[in-house]
């Protein structure tokens, strides 16, 4: 019988490519049952469950002490030069100690989320597109002028079948939001041209779909500036950040994506309240 695994997403901060790859490999060698850790790609739109930061990187230490990350479960690799409100593991890294400490962090995170939900508080305290300045003398009217109305339109899903569309519609039920589906690239382009569409989710496993080409065609249309094109990426798909950015892709979501991450990402893209 296959053991049930609960996916926990990790975002790495401040590591070199080599050390980041080593960490991801360690995390993948987790317990046979229970938690399954995976590292998010830099282009992932998903909110991480846990941050792991390099204590030797000054920018990482600064990021971990600024909202909203300061309220998120985090772990430092290496001994930080200043006192930090997070547990740390010294180098060279012991794999067993890493998994034991992460297990404790995830357990505390679950307890905190349950307590927040019981009190009616959001489990993600704050989402920002721009970093908050520590000392800001900018006229508030400037920020007000930068605000845009929430994107209006449907969520369009490009997939080989309609099951995922039905699932998303169920998750987003109760909101004034249309969720549509097609398995045809031509139909997807036409719908984005002729009807209001706010988000396009392209399953990269859909037969006959060139995800980058479809994204580029959609974004090249007049009025498509605010359409967010997101790729649903499986482990077998060779994602290219350069091709995605050239095609106007907003980002990616790793498959299988947990419902909480899918809903959180859609709320962020559609500027919906938590």
């Amino acid at each position: 019988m296959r053991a049930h695994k609960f996916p926990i997403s990790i975002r790495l901060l401040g590591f070199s490519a080599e050390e980041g790859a080593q960490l991801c490999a360690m995390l993948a060698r987790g317990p046979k049952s229970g938690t399954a850790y995976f590292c998010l790609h830099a282009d992932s739109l998903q909110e991480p469950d846990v941050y792991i930061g390099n204590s030797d990187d000054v920018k990482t230490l600064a990021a971990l002490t600024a909202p909203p990350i300061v309220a998120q479960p985090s772990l430092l690799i290496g001994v930080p030069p200043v006192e930090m409100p997070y547990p740390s593991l010294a180098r060279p890294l012991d794999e067993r100690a890493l998994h034991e400490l992460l297990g404790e962090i995830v357990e505390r995170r679950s307890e905190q989320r349950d307590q927040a939900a019981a009190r009616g508080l959001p489990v993600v305290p704050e989402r920002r597109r721009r970093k908050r300045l520590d000392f800001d003398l900018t006229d508030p009217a400037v920020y007000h002028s930068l605000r845009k109305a929430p994107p209006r339109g449907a969520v369009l899903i490009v997939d080989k079948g309609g099951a995922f569309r039905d699932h998303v519609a169920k998750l987003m039920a109760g909101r004034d939001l249309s969720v549509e589906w097609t398995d045809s690239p031509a139909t997807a382009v036409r719908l984005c041209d002729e009807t209001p569409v706010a988000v396009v989710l392209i399953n990269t496993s859909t037969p006959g779909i060139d995800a980058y080409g479809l994204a580029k065609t959609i974004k090249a249309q007049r009025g498509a500036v605010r359409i967010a094109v997101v790729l649903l990426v499986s482990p077998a798909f060779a994602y290219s950040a350069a091709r995605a950015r050239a095609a106007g892709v907003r980002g990616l979501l790793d498959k299988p994506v947990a419902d909480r991450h899918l809903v959180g990402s859609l709320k962020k893209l559609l500027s919906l309240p938590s």
Side-chain angles (χ1 to χ4, degrees):
M1 181 183 294
R2 190 173 182 178
H4 176 70
K5 305 281 279 186
F6 185 76
I8 293 293
S9 58
I10 305 289
R11 187 173 295 283
L12 302 181
L13 299 176
F15 294 98
S16 66
E18 181 180 1
E19 188 173 17
Q22 292 173 350
L23 262 173
C24 289
M26 282 188 180
L27 292 167
R29 295 190 293 265
K32 293 182 179 179
S33 62
T35 304
Y37 301 106
F38 68 97
C39 296
L40 295 173
H41 190 280
D43 288 354
S44 177
L45 299 175
Q46 182 174 318
E47 296 284 352
D49 294 309
V50 179
Y51 287 92
I52 298 182
N54 179 5
S55 65
D56 294 335
D57 185 68
V58 176
K59 291 183 179 179
T60 293
L61 297 181
L64 287 170
T65 56
I69 298 180
V70 70
Q72 296 293 90
S74 303
L75 167 65
L76 286 170
I77 303 301
V79 179
V82 294
E83 185 176 352
M84 296 289 288
Y86 306 112
S88 63
L89 288 172
R91 293 182 174 93
L93 195 58
D94 180 89
E95 189 168 325
R96 177 175 292 183
L98 171 65
H99 282 283
E100 287 179 354
L101 186 51
L102 270 177
E104 295 173 6
I105 291 173
V106 169
E107 185 176 353
R108 286 199 302 270
R109 170 189 173 276
S110 179
E111 293 173 354
Q112 292 169 353
R113 289 174 68 94
D114 290 344
Q115 293 171 2
R119 296 168 59 189
L121 300 174
V123 293
V124 179
E126 184 180 45
R127 292 195 303 262
R128 290 186 165 269
R129 290 184 173 87
R130 298 180 178 87
K131 293 182 179 180
R132 183 193 294 273
L133 299 177
D134 291 332
F135 188 66
D136 188 6
L137 298 178
T138 306
D139 188 333
V142 174
Y143 290 120
H144 183 76
S145 67
L146 294 174
R147 291 178 182 173
K148 297 179 180 179
R152 309 287 293 182
V155 173
L156 175 61
I157 295 173
V158 182
D159 200 359
K160 61 183 177 182
F164 184 61
R165 177 265 165 208
D166 295 340
H167 183 66
V168 173
K170 183 178 180 180
L171 290 176
M172 302 301 288
R175 302 178 183 273
D176 185 18
L177 178 66
S178 174
V179 182
E180 307 297 337
W181 163 79
T182 182
D183 61 355
S184 165
T187 301
V189 172
R190 179 177 57 80
L191 288 172
C192 290
D193 182 42
E194 298 177 358
T195 65
V197 173
V199 178
V200 180
L201 299 178
I202 303 175
N203 185 351
T204 57
S205 300
T206 307
I209 293 288
D210 173 7
Y212 301 115
L214 177 55
K216 187 173 183 178
T217 301
I218 289 173
K219 293 297 291 183
Q221 295 184 118
R222 183 177 181 181
V225 174
R226 298 198 68 190
I227 295 179
V229 180
V230 178
L231 303 187
L232 300 173
V233 175
S234 66
F237 182 77
Y239 176 80
S240 168
R243 291 187 66 189
R245 290 173 187 140
V249 171
R250 179 71 62 86
L252 67 89
L253 290 173
D254 292 288
K255 297 193 307 179
V257 56
D259 289 348
R260 67 187 186 279
H261 295 311
L262 178 59
V263 171
S265 298
L266 286 174
K267 285 181 177 179
K268 181 163 56 176
L269 291 167
L270 296 166
S271 298
L272 297 174
S274 299

